[in-house]
Amino acid sequence: MKPTPDPNQPNWTEQARSLLEASTQSLDAATLSRLNRARQRALAVAQRPANALRWAPGLAAAALLLAVLFWWPYPKHSPAEARAPTLLPEDAELLAEGEFEMTDDPEFYAWLDADGEHNG
Amino acid sequence: MAHDQRILAPTMAAQRVTDLDWMSRDEVQAATAKNHLDRFLRSVERRALRIAELSVGHRDEALDLVQEAMLAFVRNYAGKPEAEWPPLFYRVLDSRVTDWHRRSQVRGRWLAVLWPTRDDEEDTDPIAMAVDAAETGPLARLASENAGEALDAALRQLPLRQRQAFLLRIWEGLDVADTATAMRCGEGSVKTHLWRALNALRTALEAHR
């Protein structure tokens, strides 16, 4: 960056700037070499994120696999599914014993009505 | 032999083109970004070293601080727009220099005598802050061979914040807003620090004459 002279600054600051700039041109070779190594080290750091991105697809796949394994044994049911009628074991036993034939007996329903009124 | 070279040259050029074709778009972008970073760091490294050296007084320590600043800048700000890089880089360097001074003060309280902390935050009269641009200044009255050494000595005597304000505004050419970003303070403080730095330098250089 080459600064432009600021008219609000005193003239002697331009001379100060020139003196400081000249001091950077007289740095010895060892110092310049260390500056170069420092810059190269910093640039090497700048490249690491790009290398890390190469592992991103593999990491994403591993995360997806873990998520599937974690959630698979616990499937979630919707509220509608929760309200759906299910066949309980005792119902299955009644059906197996043929007691569902009571549903065809009108006296049974009459008894149910009478019992309801009596208790109600 | 010459005939072989004429045949080989286009072949090698074609090989380079093929290598470029094999680079992915991401790799090309990464290489371009690295080139821009390299160019920027090259453009600031010498001034950064001198700024750090004037602040800590030792070239080896200054080199360490510049290296730390480069690493931290690349890690934290390389993704920012290039126009924002100069104040951000000097912000990191300023932070490292400030940390160095804190560590030094913890190591030995006697160093506080050499680098007294001064309260530079108070406001000053804006009329008094006006400068006489026509004044030739103290450096013009110094012999040219001594001017650089005298300026170095005067800069080392300045309080840290005044020196940073002078170097960033006058030498690096940052504007007031960018200098405030680099120094992590308000623009009013930058003006105050700079005004005091100019006065202190003038006094020191005139005394050096």
Side-chain angles (χ1 to χ4, degrees), chain A residues 35-36 38-50, chain B residues 28-45 69-86 88-89 92:
Chain A
L35 277 178
N36 184 49
R39 190 177 66 251
Q40 295 303 329
R41 196 168 297 175
L43 291 172
V45 168
Q47 281 189 313
R48 282 181 197 158
Chain B
V28 171
Q29 285 178 344
T32 306
K34 185 185 172 186
N35 283 341
H36 288 191
L37 262 180
D38 184 47
R39 197 172 55 205
F40 169 72
L41 292 176
R42 275 179 194 272
S43 73
V44 296
E45 64 187 10
M70 284 181 174
L71 284 168
F73 168 77
V74 167
R75 283 198 187 106
N76 298 312
Y77 300 118
K80 296 279 186 183
E82 286 187 47
E84 298 178 18
W85 282 357
L88 291 174
F89 174 77
V92 175

Side-chain angles (χ1 to χ4, degrees), chain B residues 103-204:
Chain B
R103 287 198 302 270
S104 298
Q105 286 175 354
V106 169
R107 265 189 241 119
R109 291 288 177 190
W110 62 270
L111 287 177
V113 176
L114 299 177
W115 286 288
T117 55
R118 301 180 193 178
D119 181 14
D120 292 326
E121 301 294 335
E122 64 192 49
D123 290 331
T124 54
D125 181 3
I127 297 175
M129 290 177 71
V131 294
D132 180 6
E135 210 271 330
T136 54
L139 282 170
R141 295 190 286 272
L142 289 173
S144 59
E145 62 267 25
N146 292 333
E149 292 175 13
L151 180 62
D152 264 29
L155 282 168
R156 288 179 204 274
Q157 287 173 3
L158 287 181
L160 175 63
R161 304 296 278 167
Q162 290 182 23
R163 181 169 50 243
Q164 295 295 81
F166 178 84
L167 293 172
L168 294 175
R169 281 283 290 126
I170 302 299
W171 188 17
E172 188 60 31
L174 299 184
D175 61 23
V176 175
D178 283 350
T179 305
T181 299
M183 292 178 63
R184 294 161 293 156
C185 64
E187 294 184 13
S189 293
V190 170
K191 292 175 183 174
T192 303
H193 289 313
L194 180 60
W195 164 247
R196 292 184 175 180
L198 290 171
N199 276 340
L201 282 174
R202 181 190 307 277
T203 304

Side-chain angles (χ1 to χ4, degrees), chain A residues 5-118:
Chain A
D6 186 344
N8 294 321
Q9 302 301 340
N11 286 339
W12 65 270
T13 59
E14 183 64 29
Q15 191 183 357
R17 186 187 303 150
S18 300
L19 286 169
L20 288 166
E21 200 63 40
S23 72
T24 65
Q25 301 305 317
S26 58
L27 294 173
D28 58 89
T31 300
L32 293 177
S33 174
R34 281 191 66 181
L35 277 178
N36 184 49
R37 286 202 302 273
R39 190 177 66 251
Q40 295 303 329
R41 196 168 297 175
L43 291 172
V45 168
Q47 281 189 313
R48 282 181 197 158
N51 290 335
L53 284 177
R54 292 181 180 175
W55 296 95
L59 289 173
L64 184 64
L65 181 63
L66 278 175
V68 168
L69 288 175
F70 183 75
W71 289 108
W72 186 261
Y74 308 105
K76 286 187 175 178
H77 298 289
S78 65
E81 287 173 336
R83 286 193 300 271
T86 53
L87 184 63
L88 297 173
E90 49 268 39
D91 294 338
E93 288 173 6
L94 287 173
L95 289 171
E97 290 168 9
E99 290 187 26
F100 62 92
E101 288 177 5
M102 285 193 305
T103 55
D104 293 333
D105 188 352
E107 287 180 10
F108 171 70
Y109 293 107
W111 171 79
L112 275 180
D113 287 340
D115 189 55
E117 287 172 7
H118 202 68

